[in-house]
Amino acid sequence: LRALSAHIARQQYERLGWEVKPGEPEADTKLRGTILGMTLYGESPEVLQEAKELYENSVLEDLPADIRDLLIGTMVRHFPTPELIDSLLATYQSTASVDLKNDIASGLTSTKDPATVEKLLGLFTDTSIIRTQDTARWFVYLLRNRYARQATWQWMKDNWQWIETTFGGDKSFDDYPRYSATGLMTREQLQDYKAFFAPMQSLPALSRVIAMGISEIEARVELVEHDGDAVRSALKNI
């Protein structure tokens, strides 16, 4: 799938490159982010190296806004160091730019490193770094990362009392069962979701969203079990 993505994007990648050209059409400027995303997903070593060089030779705040999250994510996934993670977190705390904060959150939560996943999860309850109004965003980003999904789901179960205390009187309280349902996709995770949230279905604030979450995961599990083999076979034969 990665090779297919890079192949589809190759012609446009060679045409557009990494930087905006003088007088280029707005459509090309907008297309560049999509093409670079597809190309970086392909994980070609030379393309990853180009991204690394662009990141390291630029000031974070001055990187092109439309590809900044891609560059941060590439560094976090493929060239991670403790110093990189700490530097991004420090910038996240200090910057007043909401867009830069979002790009850093998106990039950091794309990590493949279990130690970084644990570090980020440990910050969820540290409101001096991640504000409570932003916790759900970090949570769902990590939950949708297959390298972080199980650890993030476990964090939610382990910290449910903190979630209930912090968000119980807020309209965002149901974010956690709702967002959890968007990331879980195995039959075992479905059963775990049911077991964890079943005692809470009597709560008016959560009953509807839990029922919807169960239906969503059930549909996803059935789809994967029904079509998974055929999809994998088709990809192998491309």
Side-chain angles (χ1 to χ4, degrees), residues 16-173:
L16 294 170
W18 287 87
E19 297 180 0
V20 175
K21 299 175 177 62
E24 76 175 13
E26 183 180 356
D28 281 357
T29 305
K30 292 181 177 180
L31 179 62
R32 181 173 288 103
T34 299
I35 294 301
L36 288 176
M38 293 176 65
T39 305
L40 288 167
Y41 178 71
E43 296 186 346
S44 168
E46 64 271 18
V47 173
L48 296 178
Q49 187 61 35
E50 286 188 62
K52 182 175 185 287
E53 291 175 2
L54 179 57
Y55 181 91
E56 292 180 337
N57 293 328
S58 307
V59 176
L60 181 61
E61 290 83 351
D62 294 339
L63 287 170
D66 55 336
I67 63 171
R68 185 170 54 202
D69 62 332
L70 294 174
L71 293 170
I72 295 172
T74 298
M75 293 298 296
V76 168
R77 285 191 299 277
H78 300 286
F79 308 101
T81 64
E83 293 75 18
L84 172 70
I85 303 304
D86 289 343
S87 174
L88 288 168
L89 285 171
T91 302
Y92 181 87
Q93 284 185 270
S94 62
T95 184
S97 169
V98 174
D99 289 338
L100 181 54
K101 282 181 179 289
N102 289 341
D103 288 343
I104 291 173
S106 174
L108 281 171
T109 52
S110 70
T111 181
K112 298 179 179 181
D113 178 41
T116 302
V117 171
E118 290 303 318
K119 182 182 183 71
L120 297 180
L121 290 173
L123 298 177
F124 279 15
T125 56
D126 185 349
T127 56
S128 68
I129 297 178
I130 299 177
R131 302 174 302 173
T132 53
Q133 59 262 45
D134 297 326
T135 307
R137 178 184 295 109
W138 284 76
F139 172 76
V140 72
Y141 282 173
L142 271 181
L143 193 72
R144 291 176 180 174
N145 174 355
R146 66 189 180 96
Y147 298 99
R149 182 174 298 128
Q150 192 57 44
T152 306
W153 168 242
Q154 188 63 48
W155 175 89
M156 193 214 69
K157 293 190 294 180
D158 293 343
N159 290 271
W160 184 257
Q161 186 58 59
W162 178 83
I163 292 171
E164 189 170 13
T165 300
T166 306
F167 302 104
D170 192 272
K171 64 180 181 180
S172 63
F173 184 37

Side-chain angles (χ1 to χ4, degrees), residues 6-7 16 27 71 91 97 126 131 141 151 175 185 194 201 217 223 225:
H7 174 72
L16 294 170
L71 293 170
T91 302
S97 169
D126 185 349
R131 302 174 302 173
Y141 282 173
D175 283 349
M185 57 187 62
K194 288 180 176 179
Q201 285 189 289
I217 302 171
L223 179 64
E225 291 179 346

